[in-house]
Amino acid sequence: MALLIEYAEGPVGVLSYSWDVASPLAGIRASRIYGREGSLVFESNGLFIATSGRRWRIRFPRLGDMLGYHAMFADFLQAWRARTEPRMTLARARRDVEVVEEAYQSAGVSKG
């Protein structure tokens, strides 16, 4: 699946993804973002982030939280204590699913 996204603010994004392509490293996958002044490569579970451009860097944010559960729980607790909304809300999750469904619909692919 290839998805072209035109953001209201001006940037354009392209997402290419396949469920059928095997991961060479047992589930570890790299994603890339390219910009005018550099690029970003990141492992989808948060294993590493590498940037290039004016400076090249690689970071290993949280090796102990590969599935993101610690970060999600910490965000929820912080929001509960501060009486604010967490970063990931039900509305944002629903919008994420809507974007996926719209992509399949625009490609003429049935969902199942």
Side-chain angles (χ1 to χ4, degrees):
M1 171 67 85
L3 178 63
L4 173 68
I5 302 168
E6 296 179 62
Y7 294 92
E9 297 83 9
V12 175
V14 176
L15 173 66
S16 300
Y17 192 85
S18 174
W19 290 105
D20 295 327
V21 176
S23 170
L25 299 171
I28 295 175
R29 297 196 178 271
S31 299
R32 297 177 187 271
I33 299 173
Y34 298 97
R36 285 187 213 135
E37 296 185 23
S39 65
L40 174 76
V41 178
F42 61 95
E43 196 283 322
S44 300
N45 294 312
L47 182 61
F48 69 85
I49 300 168
T51 57
S52 65
R54 293 180 187 173
R55 291 180 55 186
W56 189 90
R57 285 187 178 169
I58 188 164
R59 297 181 186 173
F60 300 93
R62 263 195 99 85
L63 295 177
D65 193 24
M66 288 291 290
L67 297 177
Y69 294 139
H70 176 80
M72 287 185 283
F73 191 65
D75 177 50
F76 172 79
L77 283 178
Q78 197 280 331
W80 181 69
R81 288 179 185 133
R83 295 185 175 10
T84 60
E85 282 202 351
R87 290 181 188 170
M88 178 53 83
T89 63
L90 181 57
R92 288 182 80 177
R94 283 184 175 153
R95 181 61 189 143
D96 288 352
V97 172
E98 287 172 6
V99 168
V100 171
E101 290 175 349
E102 288 172 18
Y104 278 102
Q105 185 178 6
S106 72
V109 177
S110 73
K111 292 183 280 183

